[in-house]
Amino acid sequence: MPSSSPPTIVQVAVPTPLHGHFDYLPPAQGPLPPVGARVRVPFGRRRIVGLVVGHGQGSALPNARLKRIEAVLDETPLLDAPLLNLLRWAADYYHHPLGEVISAALPQTLRQGKLAIARGIERYHVTESGRTIAPDGLTRAPRQASVLRRLQANPEGITLEQLREGQDTDPRAALRALIDKGLVERHHRPCLEPPRDERPDAPALNAAQQAAISSITESLGGFTCHLLEGVTGSGKTEVYLHAIEQVLERGLQSLVLVPEIALTPQLLERFRQRLATPIAVLHSSLSDGERHCAWLSARSGEAGVIIGTRSAVFAPWARPGLIIVDEEHDASLKQQEGFRYHARDLAVMRGHREAVPVVLGSATPSLESLGNVERGQYRRIELPARAGGAVAPRLKVLDVRQQFMDEGLSTALLDAMQRHLDADGQVLLFLNRRGFSPALICHDCGWVADCHRCDARMTWHACARLLRCHHCGHETGLPARCPSCGSPLAPRGQGTERIEQALHKHFPQYPAIRIDRDSTRRKGSLESALAGVREGRYRILVGTQMLAKGHDFPNVTLAAILDADQGLFSVDFRAVERLAQTIIQVAGRSGRALRAGEVLIQTHQPDHPLLSSLLGGGYRAFARTALAERREATLPPYASLALLRAEAVDAQTPLAFLEQARDHLQTLSLPGIHPWGPAPAPMERRAGRYRAHLLLHAPRRQDLQRALGPWLTELARLPGARQVRWSIDVDPADLT
Ligand code: ADP
Ligand code: ZN
Ligand code: ZN
């Protein structure tokens, strides 16, 4: 067929777990839908919205079997070529179906086929007469009465979506009737808050900040990746704001990614106060209407700044200028289910493909990013000092071997707490997020159960009551006595709730609050807890990961890491890196104002080399030691990994499937790939299902990528595949 003849086939990606695109005949009438436009197509017995990803001259199927596109939803492409190509790249790299990848990039409204027009956010409010009328007067129209009551309770107006919440009937008919009666009015609020007229003065920049800003602005117009390293409070956000101003002056947009927990009203307010542009905000608790609006104003270029969490890395923009990833080491940038992408890595790839600079900011950069600095791929910029004159906290190890512990609190720690509380300070107690997979440690001498076949720690499995090596699968019972000092051994752990009780016993006069995922599940409860801390209503905070990030607690003068050992001996090789980051981040919460802070770390391993390097030389020294260990063990960033996970209702089935998968990999005889395992997952049982892992290790990324495609396409055909749920995770961030 000559290539000049007009295309006869439209290739459409649809959101299904099937890989590849589907061929359709062009619509019966009208022009061919362009690549990047949405179309409505028949799919099986349903009608769904797909995205045109290509045009073709022919199909593997005869034309008679092809179905026709029913409607074209966008006359011009909804996704431009660079964004669509980024999504294609991501689908290939993470081995995830393109249709689902595209779906992840679109707001719900557009996925469902709503027009790509932002009319602002429609709100309803009561008129003057609607405000005073008694709803009970509408006796024969109970629905109108109920809608009117809601509106009277919200005189500033509410959206249709809010009206629908918790309601099983559609409020629209009632609204129309109320509007006809002159009791209710509708108005449009623009999508984006207009920029403020007055802006506060920025602090005078120090020399390091000025150098950082010029380094970034000089690189505008092409791709460079900067790693902006500076402790909490060193003025990184100030650098972002100035760089963004320069980008705005050139008429370009900036895209800013932050971890979910860091996207606080305070941060947004700081951006709104300082920047003379409308800001599009994208995060998970927006209403569909708000997200629709924000997404389209990013796409049109109306928003000079787009700020959002992980999935905002796929936000569209009209005039690419600069990408910033704040807290680039943060684990929440990696999606942990479904399409398991890493937003930081995609941000760098996007900057590279769209020729804009990328700034990765952190007080504790990931070892991946430091590896890239080492290789000359990223440019490092440092902010050495704390900007506002705040004093850096002192870090100290508390050796808890042989010490009396009450629910994980040593006497030395209790004494220190008393001192700080009596001096009007606040105290923050930090517990690692995960209570499972602890190493078995002797409380008297610090002995740790090692696998005699591997260079690895054994993991205590409480339900099975045995020790297991997650590298080779070796299992043993619990030794009655410590082989090193003869003391009785008992695995132990403490939960945040038990600690809370112990605190009440020791410090009855000082109110304490627990902040973790369980205690803050209700909407708004985190905000009110944080406000209570800031106002000094609570004097002791106990919490997990959520406390370590982004929040400002100027009156915390003592921070303590209750159990560093779990991080030092986890099965996950990244646990030590996370522990070091946590210690530095927790330290960053204390002494942020002009009061010097103290940070205490409880451990049975006071001489652990990584802990010593962190305390002796700071994160920088730690990272050097940790990178050397990773290089030695050929672990990332000196190798690439992919994790094949499988789960089923019994323990054997996932392992059997993974063995078949490993054997199949070996028949492909691909160079440079090593299967590690299979083995039961460190947290073997979750939600009643048994989980197992097969880790693929490759010193060179290309080898891994070359192998994954051919291997994964065969996995579904393996005999064990039907009995398990399985998934692939490229560059896994979490091996538990
Ligand atoms: P980071 O993002 O690194 O935590 P911020 O930019 O938020 O740091 O700065 C921490 C605090 O110091 C903020 O209150 C900020 O206004 C202030 N600050 C930043 N730069 C300066 C400066 N050059 N002089 C004085 N104060 C500054
Ligand atoms: Zn011992
Ligand atoms: Zn072993």
Side-chain angles (χ1 to χ4, degrees), residues 2 83 237 378 651 677 693:
L83 183 49
T237 310
Y378 294 179
H693 286 171

Side-chain angles (χ1 to χ4, degrees), residues 458-474:
M458 303 289 278
T459 298
W460 172 245
H461 283 251
C463 358
R465 297 202 60 78
L466 48 77
L467 289 162
R468 183 182 281 147
C469 170
H470 286 285
H471 295 266
C472 69
H474 175 63

